[in-house]
Amino acid sequence: LDGMDEDDDDDSNEDDESNSEEKLNNRNHMGWLSSEAGMLFLGSKDADGDVVDILQERIGNLTKVLQVNGYKSVLQSADDDGAELNDHQKWHIGQKAIYLREAYKLALEKWGNQVNWMSICTEAIDRVKEFGYSSVTSPRTVMDYNKAFRKDGLFPHPSYTIRLGKPPTPQVFEHFPQLPVRIKEFMLNNQAHFRLESKSLPVKREERSGETSRMSSRKRTKTSRG
């Protein structure tokens, strides 16, 4: 019996060594040099840099999210004026980082070895669930996190204005892209008829003078009747 126990221990150690070798070998397979890997993990088929090295670096950055203000290491424009997040937004960035970090770790171990990205994201959710996290249930959610993160290694800022560096564009301009140009041309061609008043819309001078004349006329009529 003692001999069998020793054999079991030896087998266990051999299995651990074999798994470690498989993980290392998986990082060396040719698939990581493919355009598919560049597109999936870096957002471009022609992305520069070694995909494995970049993923390892990003895993380190995603781990920093667990530190105080660590979310800034993976957030776009984190130090810009007005870019401070509320508690819920910080929590959400943390959740994204936890799931994506686990998916990247699994990818380095298994991706390309007859294991696709969706399966890896599914396994990442199951692993994270063991530590008490349950905010994500669909692998597509983790896949979306990757799409948002992969190009620059940063999550987009939740504020539209911070994210684009300018106020949001009215949706009507998206449907009629020439409308801003036409409005500007109209204003320039008719600026003699417009004036700006504090906290009010532009008012045509002709309309304003006509309205004033009518009000004066009414006052004179009431006075003469009185």
Side-chain angles (χ1 to χ4, degrees):
L1 291 175
D2 291 341
M4 290 180 63
D5 290 339
E6 291 176 2
D7 290 341
D8 289 342
D9 290 340
D10 291 340
D11 291 342
S12 178
N13 291 334
E14 289 175 2
D15 289 341
D16 290 341
E17 291 176 2
S18 176
N19 289 335
S20 297
E21 288 178 2
E22 287 180 7
K23 293 176 183 178
L24 289 173
N25 289 335
N26 192 67
R27 300 183 186 192
N28 294 325
H29 75 71
M30 295 299 294
W32 289 109
L33 302 176
S34 67
S35 59
E36 180 186 0
M39 186 66 205
L40 177 58
F41 295 108
L42 304 182
S44 173
K45 294 180 179 179
D46 303 316
D48 294 329
D50 185 278
V51 177
V52 170
D53 289 344
I54 292 173
L55 282 185
Q56 288 176 324
E57 180 183 352
R58 291 181 176 179
I59 288 171
N61 289 336
L62 290 165
T63 303
K64 294 178 183 177
V65 172
L66 301 176
Q67 304 172 3
V68 176
N69 290 328
Y71 70 91
K72 292 185 176 182
S73 64
V74 293
L75 181 65
Q76 173 198 33
S77 305
D79 294 318
D80 286 4
D81 291 338
E84 183 65 26
L85 303 187
N86 59 40
D87 289 342
H88 175 73
Q89 290 170 329
K90 292 177 184 178
W91 173 86
H92 195 207
I93 293 294
Q95 293 294 297
K96 291 180 179 181
I98 288 168
Y99 283 96
L100 196 54
R101 172 180 176 270
E102 194 63 36
Y104 285 166
K105 288 171 64 179
L106 286 168
L108 291 176
E109 297 174 8
K110 300 182 178 184
W111 182 80
N113 188 17
Q114 298 182 341
V115 180
N116 63 34
W117 178 230
M118 179 174 281
S119 298
I120 286 171
C121 291
T122 300
E123 185 175 348
I125 292 172
D126 292 338
R127 280 198 181 185
V128 171
K129 191 174 183 180
E130 295 176 0
F131 296 95
Y133 295 95
S134 58
S135 62
V136 174
T137 57
S138 169
R140 294 195 178 276
T141 301
V142 182
M143 294 168 76
D144 287 341
Y145 291 166
N146 174 59
K147 288 178 181 179
F149 184 82
R150 64 189 178 185
K151 186 175 181 180
D152 301 313
L154 297 170
F155 291 115
H157 197 282
S159 167
Y160 191 97
T161 301
I162 297 294
R163 187 162 65 247
L164 298 184
K166 60 182 181 179
T169 302
Q171 289 187 354
V172 66
F173 292 159
E174 296 179 4
H175 298 290
F176 303 98
Q178 292 301 316
L179 187 57
V181 177
R182 293 180 180 179
I183 291 175
K184 184 177 180 180
E185 290 177 350
F186 176 80
M187 295 293 290
L188 291 174
N189 294 334
N190 296 274
Q191 57 185 330
H193 303 291
F194 289 86
R195 71 162 179 249
L196 291 177
E197 295 185 355
S198 178
K199 298 182 180 179
S200 65
L201 295 174
V203 180
K204 275 191 175 183
R205 290 179 180 175
E206 294 175 353
E207 293 178 356
R208 173 64 71 180
S209 60
E211 183 180 346
T212 303
S213 298
R214 287 193 296 272
M215 291 177 65
S216 300
S217 176
R218 288 181 192 142
K219 288 183 180 179
R220 286 196 297 271
T221 303
K222 289 183 180 178
T223 302
S224 61
R225 287 178 180 175

